[in-house]
């Protein structure tokens, strides 16, 4: 992309569709027009003289890549690379032993997010783990394989403010506590504080401030950009009465709107108008004067040739035989179009003759909303295929089909479209895996079909899988909304 944009002269100009992308949102970047304040936690820890990372011993220096986790548990060893997103350590590229006895899934879903859900089930059952803990508000797949399940509160059960950039660069949201925690639900803070206390540690090392004080600090420290597009001023006017009502420590302040107005409306957005000072064109300074505004690279320019990146990847050595060059080159993937053939040169197809990739889809935000029944009714989440694949396998739109890879199998409804290339299938990302008595994933989780395959750049196989597809001989699949996991507390 850097090469194409450079050759086309697209940098540093308006309307070229080349801006900033950061985590879950794109914008014209680089600065947010509203900056939420600090919670004050780091400052409070510093005053207490507590180093929380060392509370239970020295920090762990191990980093196990997501694609290796299940193999590491089963095989008791893994290939250490360091964190190749940043500077990999000198000791990178070595085999290390690993004996996992305890696992805490936290509140997220490793079994859905990491590749090879089938192997994940094996690892949890056969890998020698003595205790698995999970936290959540719903019976997601990870929770179903936990020895201890901690019900945690949802966002409906607390007051909060979305922090910098979470709603967009020019908007900030506040949401109220709708209800008290339901049943046995507790906050992560309560759960972790209880564990630390049982271990003889002071929870103040992790939680030196009350939740009310943290929220106040964030809101009081929130600033909004001024008309000059450079300076910022406090967003909220906060009175002593507001501070007393929250039961926190702080000083009254003047801002653009009152705290009461912000809470009542639940949102503040910077007004935009033609010709304001809040826009930004990525790399314009560099394009206008590359000498005065060099980029943060060795050459000060865009680097299609990047020795640093090649050195890091070659140091990691994730696949034997890979030798990465400092410039873009094609590397045959572990699973790709070539491996759909038993004999690529002779063009003889193999046991898994199709290439599958995983699309984003209106029903999901990655895995978020995968449990929402109304979206399951509205969006079928089919497996998409071209006419050639459908004809070869006697499949029509609406048929229940079995999609198999070397790693697992799923059931989906077929959607045949002339817009797909020959020998290609697409399965939307986001399904929450559920396995029937035959071991088939009836919810179409993409990680069920993805293997724990990783190579030089640390890329997993989410967009390059070898599969086969056939019309399913069993009962029709029906709507995803008809299936619901219910866990017994007995």
């Amino acid at each position: 992309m850097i090469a194409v944009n450079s050759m086309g002269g697209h940098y540093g100009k308006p309307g070229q569709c080349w801006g900033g992308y950061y985590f879950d949102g794109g914008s014209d970047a680089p600065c947010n027009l509203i900056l939420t304040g600090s919670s004050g936690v780091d400052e409070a820890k510093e005053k207490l003289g507590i180093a929380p990372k060392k509370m239970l011993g020295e920090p762990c220096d191990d980093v196990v890549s997501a694609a290796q986790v299940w193999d590491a548990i089963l095989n008791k060893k893994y290939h250490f690379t360091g964190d190749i997103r940043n500077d990999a350590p000198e000791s990178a590229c070595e085999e290390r032993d690993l004996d996992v006895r305890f696992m805490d899934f936290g509140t997220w879903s490793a079994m859905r997010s990491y590749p090879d859900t089938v192997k994940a089930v094996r690892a949890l059952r056969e890998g020698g783990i003595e205790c698995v803990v999970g936290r959540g508000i719903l019976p997601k797949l990870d929770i179903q394989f936990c020895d201890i399940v901690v019900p945690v509160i949802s966002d409906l059960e607390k007051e909060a403010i979305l922090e910098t950039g979470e709603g967009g660069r020019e908007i900030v949201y506040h949401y109220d506590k709708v209800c008290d925690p339901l049943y046995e639900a507790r906050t992560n803070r309560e759960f972790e504080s209880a564990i630390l206390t049982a271990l003889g540690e002071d929870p103040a090392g992790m939680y030196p401030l009350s939740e009310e004080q943290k929220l106040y600090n964030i809101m009081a420290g929130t600033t909004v950009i001024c008309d000059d597009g450079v300076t910022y001023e406090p967003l909220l006017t906060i009175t002593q009465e507001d501070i007393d009502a929250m039961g926190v420590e702080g000083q009254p302040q003047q801002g653009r709107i009152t705290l009461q107005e912000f809470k009542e409306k639940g949102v503040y957005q910077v007004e935009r108008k033609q010709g304001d000072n809040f826009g930004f064109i990525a790399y314009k300074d560099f394009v206008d004067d590359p000498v005065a505004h060099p980029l943060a690279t060795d050459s000060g320019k865009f680097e299609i040739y990047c020795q640093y990146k090649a050195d890091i990847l070659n140091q990691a050595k994730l696949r034997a035989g890979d030798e990465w060059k400092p410039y873009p080159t094609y590397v045959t993937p572990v699973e790709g179009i070539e491996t759909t053939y038993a004999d690529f040169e002779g063009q003889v197809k193999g046991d898994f003759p199709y290439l599958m990739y995983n699309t984003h889809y209106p029903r999901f935000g990655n895995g978020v909303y995968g449990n929402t029944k109304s979206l399951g009714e509205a969006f079928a989440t089919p497996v998409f295929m071209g006419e050639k694949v459908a004809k070869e396998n006697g499949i029509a739109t609406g048929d229940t089909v079995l999609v198999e890879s070397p790693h697992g199998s799923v059931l989906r409804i077929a959607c045949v479209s002339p817009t797909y290339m020959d020998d290609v299938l697409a399965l939307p990302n986001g399904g929450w895996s559920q396995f029937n008595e035959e071991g088939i994933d009836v919810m179409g989780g993409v990680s069920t079909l993805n293997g724990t395959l990783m190579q030089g750049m640390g890329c997993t196989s989410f967009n390059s899988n070898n599969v086969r597809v056939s019309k399913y001989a069993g009962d029709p699949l029906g709507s995803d909304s008809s299936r619901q996991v219910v866990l017994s507390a007995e």
Side-chain angles (χ1 to χ4, degrees):
M1 291 181 65
I2 292 176
V4 171
N5 278 283
S6 299
M7 293 169 66
H10 300 297
Y11 289 115
K13 300 177 182 177
Q16 301 296 303
C17 297
W18 184 263
Y21 176 82
Y22 45 95
F23 191 60
D24 58 355
S27 80
D28 49 2
C31 62
N32 288 283
L33 306 186
I34 301 175
L35 304 174
T36 52
S38 164
S39 68
V41 168
D42 290 340
E43 295 85 349
K45 289 177 180 177
E46 187 175 343
K47 287 182 180 179
L48 289 171
I50 295 175
K53 290 184 179 180
K54 295 186 179 181
M55 288 177 67
L56 302 177
E58 291 297 317
C60 181
D61 70 341
D62 280 347
V63 178
V64 183
S65 63
Q68 295 188 78
V69 166
W70 312 126
D71 284 317
I73 294 171
L74 285 167
N75 301 328
K76 310 295 184 185
K77 62 178 62 178
Y78 72 102
H79 183 78
F80 177 74
T81 64
D83 186 351
I84 62 173
R85 296 171 303 174
N86 303 302
D87 288 338
E90 292 300 323
S91 59
C93 183
E94 65 181 21
E95 299 302 313
R96 289 189 176 184
D97 295 329
L98 184 70
D99 188 6
V100 179
R101 299 298 181 88
F102 173 82
M103 196 162 187
D104 180 1
F105 278 130
T107 57
W108 57 294
S109 183
M111 294 183 74
R112 191 206 69 81
S113 303
Y114 292 176
D116 210 332
T117 301
V118 175
K119 188 176 288 183
V121 174
R122 279 189 53 222
L124 294 175
R125 287 176 170 170
E126 306 168 14
I129 301 177
E130 297 174 0
C131 182
V132 182
V133 176
R135 316 173 213 179
I137 61 174
L138 296 163
K140 56 189 178 181
L141 186 65
D142 307 61
I143 292 296
Q144 299 171 49
F145 287 87
C146 288
D147 299 294
I148 299 173
V149 177
V150 180
V152 295
I153 68 168
S154 69
D155 286 347
L156 297 174
E157 297 155 277
K158 64 180 181 181
E159 179 186 1
I161 179 174
L162 291 186
E163 298 189 38
T164 300
E166 289 185 340
R169 72 186 290 257
E170 57 196 46
I171 196 167
V172 62
Y173 295 96
H174 171 274
Y175 54 90
D176 291 318
K177 178 181 177 181
V178 176
C179 61
D180 290 327
L182 299 174
Y183 310 110
E184 296 179 323
R186 298 290 185 271
T187 64
N188 276 311
R189 177 187 184 128
E190 290 175 295
F191 169 62
E192 290 167 356
S193 294
I195 294 293
L196 288 168
T197 300
L199 293 171
E201 299 285 350
D202 184 358
M206 288 184 67
Y207 299 107
L209 299 177
S210 69
E211 295 304 304
E212 293 78 12
Q213 186 68 56
K214 287 163 58 179
L215 178 61
Y216 167 79
N217 291 344
I218 292 171
M219 292 196 296
T222 297
T223 56
V224 59
I225 201 159
C226 299
D227 289 341
D228 61 9
V230 178
T231 57
Y232 288 78
E233 66 180 2
L235 173 64
L236 300 173
T237 293
I238 301 176
T239 66
Q240 186 61 53
E241 289 76 13
D242 293 328
I243 295 170
D244 294 341
M246 292 184 70
V248 298
E249 296 180 0
Q251 297 295 323
Q253 65 179 46
Q254 284 296 119
R256 189 172 294 187
I257 62 172
T258 66
L259 176 62
Q260 187 64 27
E261 179 184 350
F262 181 52
K263 287 188 173 184
E264 287 177 356
K265 292 183 177 180
V267 62
Y268 178 82
Q269 184 165 9
V270 175
E271 182 180 357
R272 298 296 307 272
K273 59 178 73 74
Q274 190 71 29
D276 64 23
N277 294 313
F278 306 147
F280 177 76
I281 300 173
Y283 303 113
K284 185 176 188 305
D285 289 346
F286 169 71
V287 172
D288 289 346
D289 191 343
V291 175
H293 302 282
L295 300 181
T297 61
D298 288 343
S299 65
K301 304 175 182 179
F302 289 112
E303 293 189 348
I304 301 171
Y305 182 104
C306 184
Q307 188 64 51
Y308 169 79
K309 186 172 184 178
D311 291 344
I312 290 294
L313 296 175
N314 287 323
Q315 180 177 309
K317 290 185 171 62
L318 294 177
R319 185 173 67 166
D322 282 348
E323 187 65 32
W324 294 89
K325 297 180 174 63
Y327 48 85
T329 52
Y330 179 77
V331 177
T332 302
V334 181
E335 285 190 17
I337 191 64
E338 295 93 338
T339 51
T340 63
Y341 292 87
D343 178 2
F344 183 65
E345 296 298 327
Q347 293 292 283
V348 179
K349 282 289 188 178
D351 292 336
F352 298 93
Y354 306 124
L355 189 68
M356 186 193 76
Y357 69 103
N358 304 128
T359 62
H360 281 216
Y361 188 66
R363 176 180 165 188
F364 309 107
N366 287 328
V368 180
Y369 309 119
N371 62 301
T372 307
K373 294 176 74 66
S374 58
L375 292 176
E377 293 176 1
F379 297 99
T381 317
V383 59
F384 298 94
M385 65 187 73
E387 294 173 335
K388 176 178 179 290
V389 173
K391 184 177 180 180
E392 288 177 349
N393 295 279
I395 294 170
T397 294
D399 287 343
T400 298
V401 297
L402 175 67
V403 183
E404 300 172 278
S405 79
H407 318 288
S409 56
V410 306
L411 291 179
R412 287 289 84 199
I413 303 299
C415 180
V416 182
S417 169
T419 61
Y420 283 84
M421 296 176 64
D422 291 348
D423 299 340
V424 172
L425 288 83
L427 178 64
N429 175 33
W432 288 22
S433 295
Q434 291 181 31
F435 295 94
N436 64 15
E437 295 79 6
E438 303 171 72
I440 302 172
D441 184 351
V442 297
M443 294 295 283
V446 298
S447 292
T448 300
L449 298 175
N450 296 325
T452 50
L453 310 172
M454 188 173 66
Q455 60 190 63
M457 292 183 68
C459 297
T460 51
S461 59
F462 286 108
N463 283 310
S464 184
N465 299 274
N466 295 161
V467 299
R468 60 189 176 214
V469 62
S470 59
K471 192 170 181 178
Y472 185 56
D475 295 333
L477 182 61
S479 171
D480 286 345
S481 63
S482 66
R483 288 175 289 278
Q484 180 69 48
V485 174
V486 178
L487 299 182
S488 172
E490 297 178 0

